[in-house]
Amino acid sequence: MSKLSTSKWSKYKVMRKSKELRAYLPETAWLKESAFWRMMNKYDQVIIKPTGSYGGHGVIRFKKTEASEYELHDGAKKKTFRNQAQVNAYLKRKTGKSFIVQQRIRLATVKRRPFDLRVMVQRRPSSRWQVTGKLAKVAGAGFIVTNIRMSGGKVIPVEQAIQRSQLKTMRTEDLLAQLDKVALKSAAKLAPSYPWVKTMGIDMAFDKDGHVWIIEVNYAPMLELFLKLKDKSMFRKIKSFHKNK
């Protein structure tokens, strides 16, 4: 029996089967013209991204403007489409090429820059999943993606991101506990379908109301992100699990 695909779409479908996890998953569909407009009409903003890429490559936001036009935000570049026909012509070049369309989450921000979270969940052979580290990735100026290399953003401790954002009025301990809980549930749901995986880098986020979202799950996460934190203890812990996988 062949292994299940590790694409974003395949992992989303596995997690979507869990009633517990559904509340934390942005609505996602295979990119088709009909799915795109259904979501645009529902949310006014959507994300389009390739289902097999990493590092923020190919992630595009579409937003309906007050003038009833459509703004595309790709990297630091923006482009305006005047009507649906122009958008459809653009989508035609993307459909059929392994793209998904996803509800756009209005992420919490630090100095008006969106941030998301990398949560590391790992297990040793024959042991339970554990959260071994987490950090916040703050997008660079003008970017919607938080990938540090692409946007020129920065890595900071999660607690610091919370205290510098709209979430500072909420209890940090409660937010972190919810983050860990959802991360562990995600790993537990994915594990039976991907039994060889012992390390997951789960990209998660808080919206401006403090609700937790699962953005995507990476089975080959870049551990060196944790070296950008002043405190290296999380990196050492993550590496110790990684060596014994």
Side-chain angles (χ1 to χ4, degrees):
M1 182 177 173
S2 62
K3 288 182 179 180
L4 184 65
S5 165
T6 58
S7 72
K8 295 179 177 69
W9 179 236
S10 294
K11 286 179 278 193
Y12 170 82
K13 287 193 293 182
V14 171
M15 290 189 287
R16 189 83 178 84
K17 291 175 183 175
S18 165
K19 289 182 181 179
E20 284 186 293
L21 289 179
R22 279 178 205 163
Y24 308 108
L25 290 165
E27 184 178 351
T28 304
W30 194 255
L31 180 60
K32 295 179 182 177
E33 199 175 289
S34 57
F36 176 88
W37 290 113
R38 177 176 57 79
M39 284 205 208
M40 276 297 289
N41 292 331
K42 188 173 180 179
Y43 300 113
D44 287 334
Q45 292 190 41
V46 298
I47 295 289
I48 293 174
K49 56 187 174 184
T51 187
S53 72
Y54 296 95
H57 295 285
V59 177
I60 297 162
R61 182 188 70 183
F62 266 98
K63 179 173 74 171
K64 190 173 183 179
T65 69
E66 291 180 4
S68 294
E69 295 178 332
Y70 301 93
E71 181 188 85
L72 175 153
H73 194 159
D74 182 0
K77 299 176 183 176
K78 294 183 180 181
K79 179 179 179 180
T80 299
F81 295 91
R82 293 182 181 177
N83 52 50
Q84 290 192 10
Q86 289 183 353
V87 176
N88 287 340
Y90 176 86
L91 292 176
K92 198 170 183 179
R93 300 197 296 270
K94 296 285 184 186
T95 51
K97 294 182 180 178
S98 300
F99 278 77
I100 53 177
V101 57
Q102 194 170 66
Q103 168 191 357
R104 162 70 171 163
I105 305 302
R106 288 172 169 80
L107 302 183
T109 57
V110 172
K111 295 182 178 178
R112 298 187 178 181
R113 299 182 186 186
F115 72 89
D116 66 10
L117 312 158
R118 168 62 54 85
V119 181
M120 296 295 298
V121 183
Q122 297 174 281
R123 65 176 174 182
R124 302 188 196 278
S126 304
S127 72
R128 292 182 179 181
W129 290 101
Q130 294 183 42
V131 174
T132 53
K134 45 185 173 276
L135 52 75
K137 298 175 289 172
V138 184
F143 281 79
I144 56 161
V145 296
T146 60
N147 180 267
I148 303 305
R149 191 176 296 168
M150 178 179 288
S151 75
K154 62 181 178 178
V155 168
I156 61 175
V158 178
E159 296 85 351
Q160 197 177 104
I162 290 170
Q163 289 306 313
R164 292 182 181 179
S165 73
Q166 310 78 339
L167 310 177
K168 61 186 176 186
T169 57
M170 303 177 192
R171 277 176 51 88
T172 300
E173 295 83 356
D174 293 343
L175 291 170
L176 295 178
Q178 183 72 351
L179 198 65
D180 287 0
K181 177 184 171 185
V182 176
L184 290 168
K185 284 183 182 296
S186 301
K189 182 62 183 176
L190 289 163
S193 298
Y194 302 95
W196 67 93
V197 175
K198 300 293 185 290
T199 292
M200 298 187 189
I202 307 181
D203 283 334
M204 305 177 72
F206 292 116
D207 64 21
K208 295 183 179 183
D209 297 318
H211 181 77
V212 173
W213 293 93
I214 305 161
I215 306 300
E216 59 187 57
V217 183
N218 188 344
Y219 294 157
M222 193 171 77
L223 310 183
E224 287 70 28
L225 270 182
F226 286 85
L227 282 175
K228 295 181 181 292
L229 294 171
K230 187 176 180 180
D231 182 355
K232 311 295 187 221
S233 60
M234 276 191 285
F235 177 76
R236 290 193 291 270
K237 184 174 184 179
I238 291 163
K239 286 291 282 185
S240 74
F241 272 74
H242 206 61
K243 286 174 184 174
N244 292 296
K245 68 179 181 177

